[in-house]
Amino acid sequence: MLVGLARDAQLFNFDSDWLWMPSCKTSICRRACLVFYQNPTSPGEEDLFTVFNVNSNYLSFKREWLSKLKKVVVLQLGRWQSSPTHHIEVDDEGLFLKGIGAQHYLSFKYLSLRGISGITRIPSCIFNIISLEILDLRACHNLETLPSDISSLRKLTHLDISECYLLEGMPKGIGKLSSLQVLKGFLIANLKNTPSRLGDLAKLKKLRRLSIYIGTEAVMHDKEFETLKEISSLRRLKISWAVVSPELRGKIAHQCMDFSSLPDLEKLDLQGIPLRKVPPWLNPKELKNLKKLYIRGGELDSLQHAGEETVTECKWRVEILRLKYLSNMKIELPKVEDQFPHLLYLEKVKCHEKDIFWSKSQGQKLSNC
């Protein structure tokens, strides 16, 4: 029924060769799909609203074709599937992207290149599409360079540059993106390659979700993390640390101690934390409204603050606790039950003791697991 309604409304054209599969033909509708090894070539590109990559693994575009998309609103060239095994390649290191920026767009709002291999740099013309609201560059594993200035994208609400592990640094002007609500993959590298720092994010009054990646060459200003408290709208925060040498680990660990209170934070995700002892800021007194706490990988060996009675008197309001790949982590379930009285779900995987999957809905006491 869904396919029938979509066909009747001319939402998509459906190919008779592939049952229930949208087609790349653009002659009767204004939305084209990239299917298998087909690329849209039919007349009518000038009127297309959407180009959506359904399952094409290899993109071979001519700049001339992309430059005809004068009315496009959504350009989903990357993968929509959550699995990283869905691989997409391009044959020209992403040079075709210059065709996207060749036109003056009035309604172009969404561009996704997620998971496309072979793109080494994003041309500056992409950052000049001032109508863009969502830019998804996640998991472009060959991406090394972004344009130097992103401040033109004033309407941008979502920017995802996470899992781009070859990226050298951040562009300047992120602090001017006043509409930004979601920023994933903010890279802290050396000072030369990162003109945008955490302090610039304090200007983003609408920012709700933020993920930070601290690279192997990270250099941080003193008390740089303390500026996060100025983002009053922030509700979800993720911090990931790269694997570093023992020489750098102590320096980065010291920088991690300077963290500000975020009382309105609802979700905190820490990956690869280089500290062995729980930092002072990771306590229920500083994180009063935290509902979800995820800690994956790293050196942490406990959630207990040694000798701090003022901390242990305050109870966590966390409802979901996930602890994964913490080989040093030792937890006593009775203490967890006492310190997390609102806990609904606990997941402990590949830690020091046995794996635990506990849900309050099962009716079993956590201390009996």
Side-chain angles (χ1 to χ4, degrees):
M1 183 184 71
L2 184 63
V3 170
L5 290 173
R7 183 189 291 112
D8 294 342
Q10 295 186 349
L11 195 63
F12 292 103
N13 183 50
F14 289 87
D15 199 326
S16 58
D17 296 332
W18 304 94
L19 191 61
W20 314 128
M21 184 66 69
S23 168
C24 64
K25 297 176 182 177
T26 62
S27 55
I28 64 171
C29 69
R30 303 183 73 175
R31 295 169 181 85
C33 291
L34 308 181
V35 181
F36 299 106
Y37 296 101
Q38 304 175 2
N39 283 317
T41 55
S42 304
E45 295 94 339
E46 296 85 353
D47 294 322
L48 280 178
F49 285 153
T50 300
V51 178
F52 195 96
N53 187 352
V54 176
N55 57 11
S56 181
N57 298 110
Y58 185 77
L59 302 180
S60 180
F61 288 117
K62 293 183 178 179
R63 266 191 240 177
E64 295 77 14
W65 185 84
L66 286 170
S67 66
K68 295 178 182 179
L69 304 177
K70 299 177 182 179
K71 298 180 182 179
V72 72
V73 177
V74 173
L75 197 55
Q76 173 80 38
L77 300 180
R79 59 176 167 87
W80 55 268
Q81 298 89 339
S82 59
S83 172
T85 58
H86 190 86
H87 192 67
I88 303 175
E89 293 185 7
V90 293
D91 60 353
D92 60 357
E93 297 186 353
L95 294 177
F96 71 92
L97 294 173
K98 293 185 177 181
I100 298 176
Q103 297 294 324
H104 180 69
Y105 298 98
L106 298 176
S107 55
F108 193 3
K109 296 182 179 181
Y110 178 102
L111 173 62
S112 174
L113 305 175
R114 175 180 294 207
I116 299 180
S117 296
I119 298 178
T120 58
R121 62 175 58 240
I122 301 296
S124 58
C125 55
I126 298 296
F127 280 15
N128 291 327
I129 305 174
I130 59 175
S131 58
L132 268 185
E133 296 180 10
I134 297 175
L135 179 58
D136 185 356
L137 305 176
R138 181 173 182 173
C140 290
H141 296 305
N142 299 108
L143 183 60
E144 300 175 6
T145 308
L146 296 173
S148 60
D149 195 332
I150 196 175
S151 59
S152 297
L153 302 182
R154 298 295 178 92
K155 294 185 178 180
L156 208 64
T157 62
H158 292 65
L159 174 61
D160 192 345
I161 43 180
S162 58
E163 299 179 37
C164 297
Y165 298 115
L166 297 183
L167 200 59
E168 297 172 349
M170 292 288 96
K172 64 181 180 180
I174 289 181
K176 296 181 180 180
L177 306 181
S178 56
S179 299
L180 204 61
Q181 300 174 28
V182 175
L183 172 56
K184 296 182 178 181
F186 184 86
L187 172 65
I188 298 179
N190 58 50
L191 297 179
K192 178 182 177 181
N193 291 330
T194 310
S196 289
R197 307 296 298 186
L198 283 179
D200 297 317
L201 304 185
K203 306 170 187 176
L204 305 178
K205 302 305 181 183
K206 297 181 180 180
L207 192 65
R208 297 181 291 104
R209 300 180 64 175
L210 171 64
S211 74
I212 301 168
Y213 181 69
I214 302 176
T216 55
E217 299 180 353
V219 176
M220 300 185 67
H221 299 301
D222 290 339
K223 300 186 183 301
E224 187 167 0
F225 270 119
E226 288 193 1
T227 59
L228 291 177
K229 66 183 178 183
E230 300 178 35
I231 312 176
S232 58
S233 58
L234 192 62
R235 296 294 180 269
R236 297 188 173 198
L237 175 63
K238 176 180 177 181
I239 305 176
S240 304
W241 287 265
V243 178
V244 297
S245 64
E247 293 77 15
L248 288 175
R249 185 177 300 147
K251 184 177 181 181
I252 294 177
H254 176 72
Q255 293 167 338
C256 297
M257 303 296 286
D258 296 326
F259 201 88
S260 59
S261 173
L262 295 169
D264 295 320
L265 203 66
E266 297 175 357
K267 179 180 177 181
L268 178 62
D269 188 344
L270 305 173
Q271 292 191 8
I273 184 169
L275 300 174
R276 193 170 183 90
K277 300 300 180 183
V278 62
W281 49 265
L282 188 57
N283 72 75
K285 195 173 182 180
E286 300 290 335
L287 301 166
K288 298 178 181 178
N289 290 310
L290 198 67
K291 304 296 184 187
K292 299 178 181 180
L293 176 58
Y294 300 171
I295 305 177
R296 291 180 281 181
E299 303 294 325
L300 210 61
D301 62 7
S302 173
L303 293 177
Q304 301 297 318
H305 290 263
E308 294 193 20
E309 295 180 1
T310 55
V311 172
T312 55
E313 288 174 0
C314 188
K315 308 295 184 182
W316 286 98
R317 300 188 65 84
V318 168
E319 297 176 353
I320 299 177
L321 177 62
R322 299 178 190 268
L323 306 171
K324 291 185 175 183
Y325 313 116
L326 297 161
S327 57
N328 299 322
M329 175 67 73
K330 298 178 182 179
I331 61 173
E332 298 178 33
L333 294 180
K335 288 186 177 180
V336 172
E337 198 168 40
D338 176 61
Q339 289 298 307
F340 294 83
H342 302 278
L343 202 62
L344 301 177
Y345 181 79
L346 170 65
E347 184 176 306
K348 186 170 74 72
V349 178
K350 303 292 184 181
C351 294
H352 186 72
E353 299 101 350
K354 66 177 182 178
D355 293 352
I356 294 177
F357 299 89
W358 174 85
S359 175
K360 187 176 182 179
S361 62
Q362 296 174 346
Q364 183 183 16
K365 288 191 67 175
L366 177 59
S367 55
N368 293 334
C369 288

